[in-house]
Amino acid sequence: MPSGRIRGLSDDGLGVLQAGNKTVYVPFAYPGDMVGVKSTRRRFGRLIARDFELLEPSPLRVLPRCRHFEKCGGCLWQGLKYRAQLELKAELFERITGIRAEIKGSPKIWGFRNVSNFIVTTSGVGLKEYGNPFGVVGLSECPVFSKRTPEYLRALRDFLAETKLRPWSLKRKTGDVHYLQVREGKFTGEVMVNLIAHRSPAEETAEAFRDYFSFADSLYWSLKADDRDDPRGEPELVDGNPFIRERIGDVTYLIHPNSFFQTNSYALELLLRAVEDFTDGERVLDLYSGVGTFGVWLAKRGFAVEGIEVNPFAVEMANRNAELNGVNAKFRVGRAEETTIGDYDTVIVDPPRRGLREAGELLVRSGVERVVYVSCNPKAFRLDYENHLRKAYRVEEAVLVDMFPHTPHVEATIKLTRRR
């Protein structure tokens, strides 16, 4: 049994154990822990511990709040003191990017998530097990999401029991109900429930759905036409309002089942203010604008904003959000890498996890003085900077915002200024 002290963390937040000539990566282990690894598996060329014994705890440890910790894959770092989480996130970011940055903690570290996707399977109802694609942790609570989690799950289980709808089999890829998605407006108190299923509801099923989830302000049934394991389908409104609202500072956002919205409402204002602080001039291009999260906020502060987004529905939502807030922001459909970057003072980019790629060259060839790069993927930023952006820009400043407590992830806002 390999044993020893965890001396550091991998880039993805696993404890690193050096045992002789072997390196073992230990999930849920932290710097300073003395561990004994009981079994391992090989994944992507690394030895990953399946199970370990904690022989001596690190002084960085704290008692986790969730009873499902170390089984559920949602909170890899819940056993770490929060101050240690922040310090380690900043260290990992600097190690990957070479940038030393201030980190701002989340105002709340419990009940902060505004969405949860509960998987509904023959193995249980809850969230995925860490490292097991077919394993599901049957949840009774989720402290990072909501105090109302037991209520939501009880309504789901009672609804399934009455209607006899079959949960999804991950191995056979058969069944009726696949996911229950719940969204909460943390600052409005509004709730959206969206059931993702592989069949349309009969009228009596829809009636039962309305009855069991009568607490929802917006109730959707999403028909899923494929067998991929994700919480996506074609949503149809069953009852209530087509949108719920979230209010961040003085801006109200509409949320729909197909909307991407930052998952931590409490820390989102910190992120928006970081972007605002790095934005100069009058004219702003919001590239990868989504539902207008950054663009509408900046327009509320007096900037003239134009947004580009490849998803037509997101563009529709962004324009609704601009109209709702009465701001000078216009969003249109387009591909970032095909966008002509005109006379803008600042360009905001919040690219998908793979990064800018070809769009980086457009920025290099543009005359834009300032780029504000927002990302939760520091490796993608590093590649974008090394391969493209450094030809024309230098890193002036960066701020990290902890949108994801109890995980290794962090959101970075990086201010890039054109070289002279």
Side-chain angles (χ1 to χ4, degrees):
M1 179 176 74
S3 62
R5 196 169 298 280
I6 301 294
R7 300 294 182 186
L9 294 170
S10 63
D11 289 349
D12 55 349
L14 307 185
V16 178
L17 172 64
Q18 201 65 46
N21 60 351
K22 288 184 178 180
T23 301
V24 182
Y25 297 87
V26 189
F28 307 103
Y30 312 121
D33 280 343
M34 180 73 76
V35 300
V37 174
K38 296 181 178 180
S39 63
T40 61
R41 61 188 174 96
R42 186 165 290 279
R43 184 166 175 79
F44 301 125
R46 299 193 300 178
L47 274 180
I48 309 290
R50 290 181 185 272
D51 190 18
F52 73 93
E53 181 181 357
L54 182 61
L55 304 175
E56 180 187 319
S58 165
L60 302 181
R61 276 191 173 266
V62 68
L63 191 66
R65 181 176 292 194
C66 181
R67 70 185 69 183
H68 305 296
F69 176 67
E70 290 188 332
K71 292 183 181 177
C72 174
C75 293
L76 195 64
W77 281 10
Q78 199 181 119
L80 269 174
K81 294 176 181 176
Y82 190 56
R83 175 49 56 186
Q85 291 184 36
L86 296 179
E87 291 171 355
L88 289 167
K89 290 182 191 214
E91 288 177 15
L92 288 179
F93 180 79
E94 183 176 2
R95 185 169 83 197
I96 294 168
T97 65
I99 301 170
R100 180 169 295 181
E102 172 195 4
I103 185 167
K104 297 184 177 182
S106 176
K108 286 197 174 188
I109 64 170
W110 305 108
F112 62 87
R113 281 188 61 91
N114 55 37
V115 62
S116 194
N117 295 302
F118 301 110
I119 191 168
V120 183
T121 75
T122 52
S123 302
V125 175
L127 296 174
K128 288 287 196 71
E129 277 185 22
Y130 183 85
N132 180 1
F134 297 112
V136 173
V137 179
L139 287 191
S140 58
E141 63 176 4
C142 183
V144 299
F145 173 48
S146 175
K147 291 180 179 178
R148 297 182 67 181
T149 299
E151 176 188 357
Y152 300 147
L153 294 176
R154 183 167 56 250
L156 172 64
R157 289 176 174 123
D158 290 348
F159 167 71
L160 293 176
E162 177 174 323
T163 60
K164 302 296 190 291
L165 290 172
R166 298 170 302 152
W168 186 249
S169 169
L170 288 169
K171 291 185 177 180
R172 295 181 179 179
K173 296 188 175 183
T174 58
D176 300 322
V177 179
H178 203 146
Y179 276 92
L180 179 76
Q181 180 187 78
V182 183
R183 294 176 182 258
E184 293 184 339
K186 296 296 185 179
F187 292 101
T188 62
E190 296 178 6
V191 174
M192 174 180 283
V193 170
N194 177 28
L195 191 80
I196 294 93
H198 294 267
R199 59 183 288 183
S200 298
E203 181 49 46
E204 60 270 23
T205 302
E207 184 177 348
F209 187 43
R210 285 188 286 267
D211 288 344
Y212 281 105
F213 294 92
S214 59
F215 53 80
D217 299 280
S218 177
L219 191 62
Y220 276 91
W221 187 290
S222 289
L223 183 61
K224 188 169 180 60
D226 58 67
D227 60 9
R228 290 194 299 269
D229 185 25
D230 57 43
R232 296 190 182 99
E234 192 60 41
E236 182 175 338
L237 185 67
V238 175
D239 200 21
N241 302 315
F243 311 107
I244 62 169
R245 298 165 302 154
E246 182 61 295
R247 189 159 182 86
I248 308 298
D250 58 357
V251 175
T252 300
Y253 296 96
L254 297 174
I255 296 174
H256 179 271
N258 285 348
S259 299
F260 170 78
F261 194 71
Q262 291 281 354
T263 58
N264 184 338
S265 294
Y266 300 102
L268 179 53
E269 186 168 349
L270 297 177
L271 180 64
L272 292 168
R273 292 195 181 280
V275 171
E276 178 189 345
D277 289 345
F278 288 172
T279 303
D280 281 341
E282 297 178 356
R283 299 193 65 220
V284 174
L285 176 63
D286 185 7
L287 216 50
Y288 310 96
S289 54
V291 298
T293 307
F294 298 115
V296 173
W297 177 274
L298 292 172
K300 192 79 169 180
R301 269 96 201 124
F303 294 97
V305 176
E306 182 179 354
I308 305 294
E309 166 60 45
V310 71
N311 184 326
F313 181 75
V315 171
E316 179 186 335
M317 291 296 295
N319 284 315
R320 283 178 181 267
N321 285 327
E323 182 180 0
L324 178 65
N325 289 278
V327 298
N328 180 19
K330 295 180 180 177
F331 301 89
R332 60 182 174 86
V333 177
R335 293 173 59 85
E337 58 270 25
E338 297 172 359
T339 299
T340 300
I341 300 178
D343 186 22
Y344 297 99
D345 301 303
T346 301
V347 176
I348 312 295
V349 294
D350 183 13
R353 283 191 60 83
R354 68 177 183 273
L356 293 173
R357 296 188 178 177
E358 298 88 351
E361 285 301 312
L362 287 179
L363 290 169
V364 169
R365 294 195 298 268
S366 77
V368 173
E369 177 67 21
R370 185 166 289 99
V371 174
V372 181
Y373 190 116
V374 183
S375 178
C376 63
N377 186 349
K379 290 185 176 179
F381 167 77
R382 185 187 67 196
L383 289 174
D384 280 338
Y385 187 69
E386 291 176 349
N387 295 335
H388 306 290
L389 298 175
R390 71 184 305 170
K391 299 173 188 175
Y393 295 95
R394 61 180 176 82
V395 175
E396 186 170 325
E397 194 177 350
V399 171
L400 307 178
V401 177
D402 188 19
M403 303 291 290
F404 319 103
H406 314 302
T407 78
H409 307 296
V410 70
E411 197 86 15
T413 304
I414 304 161
K415 181 179 181 180
L416 301 164
T417 304
R418 184 164 284 274
R419 295 181 187 273
R420 299 301 181 190

